[in-house]
């Protein structure tokens, strides 16, 4: 069994229905009392793949005292609405449209089951087709307070569905025909890697939240007055696997972190320019690296010049990244009280952002003078082949970014690859002047456990240090950059003296 839902059966019977669905494509209904003893009543067939989600409407809120609705979703990409009616009241289905009723003129009769001294008729009320991939969750809109005092709460006829096709949809019946239609679709342009695993209403039904495989939240809020207008909103973000390394920027403007979730993220305190606000807040402002391997280590290049960092993953190569113009402008807006961006920096940096490669390993630069080509390409339709990865559109942000912007439009270009180690990278560090980077890899012998020194700028290997017999797990330069401390899994630490050429 994958999912279940409970409801009190209609008709003031005091009985409870339990619906369960799982891997055999069937929905099982059990009936029982509050004592907890449940008896199998019937099974519902119709879905052709695993049942992923079930949700009952609430009869005590619905305005109907004789029926209750069950919505189900499946990996067959379909959504089904079932109606459980206290037997003898089926003739009322052709009556006038009431609040909380669907009012379909026709239905498909299903099984009849007996619970206690009552019998219930099940019918298939509607089949909702619109998603293009597995539908992972369905949920009725939370009950609302009716305008008429004698009615109290009622169940709005509105269903939220979330799918692996990267969309969430809101379904409602037309008032005249009662046919269920898709009235809202959000997330179509999302770059969420594997779609949505679930969707939820807020208690007031003004916001909807989706969560995905990548540990991310996606939220939309209805800001419309006379008509619906669902807009994406900021949500908390962060790593969803072990954080393996962190490093501060040279002046403390931001914190860079890497993780086994295969991303590098930058967090900064966002300066709030509104005097009525509560003050600054920390936010994820960029995701400079989205990789195809787990990332083990990173170091920020200190010293003068543009912002740069080096990262090492479950591969034998270290990768160097340099901040694009879009990030520099975003960082300036987020951390500086000055509104104007320095013209000399804008003239020096000619890279606006980066694009993800087809295999998800390298990130190619987008140059400032090539942005018009990206805009033209966005309108071109074509087959989604291995080579046709959608272009990012990096822009300077004036407010903390939402998930889709972070995942696609805040990448940094990769400027160099550092080859030399024989195994996966494990540790990195940079000296305080920003002239040397030290790296180590996983090792089980003294020759593989060498520490490599790289010259910043030329990125040539300028030294190889031997002392340990197993993996060097961490390194650090002294404050005057004359000494390098290394610790290893061989239970020893070593100190190297750096002889610098004049």
């Amino acid at each position: 069994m994958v999912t279940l839902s409970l409801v009190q059966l209609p008709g003031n019977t005091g009985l409870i229905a339990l619906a369960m669905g799982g891997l055999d494509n069937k929905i099982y209904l059990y009936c029982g009392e509050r004592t907890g003893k449940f008896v199998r009543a019937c099974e519902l067939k119709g879905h052709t793949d695993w049942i992923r989600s079930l949700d009952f409407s609430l009869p005590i809120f619905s305005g109907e005292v004789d029926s209750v609705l069950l919505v189900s979703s499946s990996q067959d990409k379909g959504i089904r609405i079932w109606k459980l009616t206290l037997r003898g009241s089926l003739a009322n289905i052709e009556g006038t449209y009431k609040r909380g009723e669907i009012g379909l003129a026709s239905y498909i009769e299903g099984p009849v089951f007996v619970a206690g001294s009552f019998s219930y008729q099940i019918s298939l009320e509607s089949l909702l087709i619109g998603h293009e991939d597995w539908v992972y969750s369905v949920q009725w809109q939370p009950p609302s307070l009716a305008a008429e005092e004698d009615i109290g709460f009622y169940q709005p006829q509105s269903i939220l569905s979330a799918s692996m096709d990267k969309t969430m949809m809101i379904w409602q019946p037309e008032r005249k025909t009662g046919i269920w239609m898709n009235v809202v679709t959000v997330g179509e342009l999302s770059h969420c890697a594997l779609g949505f695993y679930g969707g939820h209403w807020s208690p007031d039904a003004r916001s909807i939240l989706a969560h995905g495989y990548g540990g991310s939240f996606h939220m939309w809020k209805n800001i419309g007055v006379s008509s619906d207008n669902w807009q994406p909103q900021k949500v908390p973000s962060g790593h969803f696997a072990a954080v393996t390394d962190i490093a501060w920027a040279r002046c403390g403007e931001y914190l860079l972190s890497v993780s086994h979730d295969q991303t590098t993220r930058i967090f900064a305190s966002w300066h709030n320019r509104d005097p009525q606000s509560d003050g600054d807040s920390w936010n994820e402002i960029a995701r400079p690296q989205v990789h195809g391997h787990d990332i083990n280590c990173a170091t920020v290049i200190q010293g003068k010049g543009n912002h740069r960092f080096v990262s090492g993953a479950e591969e034998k190569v270290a990768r160097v990244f340099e901040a694009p113009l879009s990030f520099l402008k975003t960082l300036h807006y987020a951390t500086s009280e000055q509104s104007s961006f320095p013209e000399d920096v804008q003239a020096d940096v000619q890279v606006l952002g980066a694009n993800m490669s087809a295999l998800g390993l390298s990130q190619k630069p987008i140059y400032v003078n090539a942005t018009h080509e990206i805009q033209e390409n966005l309108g071109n339709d074509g087959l989604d082949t291995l080579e046709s990865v959608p272009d990012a559109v990096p822009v300077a942000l004036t407010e903390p970014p939402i998930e889709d912007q972070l995942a696609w439009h805040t990448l940094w270009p990769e400027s160099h690859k550092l080859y030399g180690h024989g195994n996966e990278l494990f540790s990195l560090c940079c000296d305080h002047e920003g002239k040397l980077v030290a790296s180590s890899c996983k090792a089980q012998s003294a020759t593989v456990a060498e520490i490599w020194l790289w010259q910043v700028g030329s990125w040539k290997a300028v030294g190889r240090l031997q002392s340990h017999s197993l993996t060097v797990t961490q390194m650090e330069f002294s404050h005057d950059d004359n000494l390098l401390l290394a610790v290893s899994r061989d239970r020893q630490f070593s100190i190297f003296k750096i002889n610098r050429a004049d």
Side-chain angles (χ1 to χ4, degrees), residues 437-448:
V437 169
S439 63
S440 68
C441 69
K442 295 180 181 179
Q444 293 183 334
S445 64
T447 54
V448 181

Side-chain angles (χ1 to χ4, degrees), residues 18-29:
L18 171 64
M20 296 187 292
L23 311 188
D24 62 357
N25 314 341
K26 301 176 184 177
I27 300 172
Y28 296 91
L29 281 180

Side-chain angles (χ1 to χ4, degrees), residues 165-467:
D165 65 5
K166 307 178 185 179
T167 65
M168 282 202 302
M169 295 182 179
I170 297 177
W171 306 82
Q172 294 175 355
E174 287 187 339
R175 284 195 171 273
K176 293 183 179 180
T177 64
I179 298 176
W180 284 79
M181 303 292 291
N182 167 27
V183 295
V184 174
T185 302
V186 296
E188 303 103 316
L189 302 179
S190 172
H191 295 292
C192 179
L194 286 175
F196 297 140
Y197 269 31
H200 302 274
W201 294 94
S202 64
D204 62 359
R206 298 290 294 177
S207 299
I208 52 178
L209 179 76
H211 58 91
Y213 172 80
S216 58
F217 288 143
H218 305 256
M219 187 170 73
W220 289 265
K221 185 176 183 179
N222 187 4
I223 61 174
V225 180
S226 58
S227 61
D228 287 349
N229 182 13
W230 294 87
Q231 294 296 323
Q233 304 293 309
K234 297 190 294 287
V235 289
S237 64
H239 292 290
F240 63 93
V243 176
T244 50
D245 205 355
I246 57 174
W248 282 101
R250 54 180 176 246
C251 297
E253 310 101 308
Y254 57 83
L255 180 69
L256 181 141
S257 61
V258 297
S259 166
H260 282 167
D261 66 9
Q262 304 183 353
T263 66
T264 300
R265 307 184 187 221
I266 290 179
F267 300 88
S269 178
W270 194 281
H271 177 65
N272 200 322
R273 288 169 166 76
D274 185 2
Q276 304 297 326
S277 66
D278 296 333
D280 299 350
S281 61
W282 277 81
N283 296 272
E284 183 181 351
I285 66 168
R287 204 167 294 170
Q289 184 183 12
V290 179
H291 203 39
H293 297 291
D294 294 358
I295 306 176
N296 293 328
C297 52
T299 184
V300 174
I301 306 299
Q302 305 296 327
K304 299 179 180 180
N306 193 7
H307 296 269
R308 291 173 292 183
F309 74 91
V310 185
S311 70
E314 295 287 334
E315 53 182 351
K316 302 176 184 180
V317 55
R319 299 174 185 269
V320 184
F321 297 86
E322 187 161 345
L325 187 61
S326 58
F327 171 80
L328 298 178
K329 289 184 175 181
T330 299
L331 181 65
H332 178 81
Y333 188 91
T335 60
S336 174
E337 296 184 359
Q338 301 176 357
S339 57
S340 60
F341 186 73
E343 294 183 0
D344 56 338
V345 176
Q346 184 157 341
D348 291 342
V349 181
Q350 294 299 312
V351 177
L352 184 62
N355 261 329
M356 179 66 68
S357 68
L359 296 178
L361 295 178
S362 297
Q363 294 169 194
K364 302 176 181 179
I366 300 173
Y367 294 97
V368 174
N369 57 6
T371 54
H372 67 280
E373 298 178 5
I374 296 175
Q375 298 293 342
E376 293 176 359
N377 291 338
L378 289 177
N380 295 336
D381 296 328
L383 297 176
D384 187 15
T385 62
L386 185 64
E387 291 79 11
S388 61
V389 178
D391 284 320
V393 185
V395 294
L397 303 171
T398 56
E399 59 182 14
I402 60 175
E403 179 64 27
D404 277 353
Q405 292 171 319
L406 286 169
W408 207 252
H409 303 309
T410 60
L411 296 172
W412 289 21
E414 181 183 312
S415 59
H416 294 85
K417 294 183 178 70
L418 309 182
Y419 296 97
H421 287 289
N423 286 332
E424 296 88 350
L425 270 292
F426 196 85
S427 179
L428 287 162
C429 76
C430 179
D431 66 3
H432 297 81
E433 293 184 5
K435 294 182 177 179
L436 279 180
V437 169
S439 63
S440 68
C441 69
K442 295 180 181 179
Q444 293 183 334
S445 64
T447 54
V448 181
E450 288 181 327
I451 298 172
W452 285 58
L453 297 179
W454 309 87
Q455 185 179 49
V456 174
S458 67
W459 298 109
K460 295 180 179 178
V462 294
R464 295 164 68 174
L465 311 177
Q466 283 191 1
S467 175

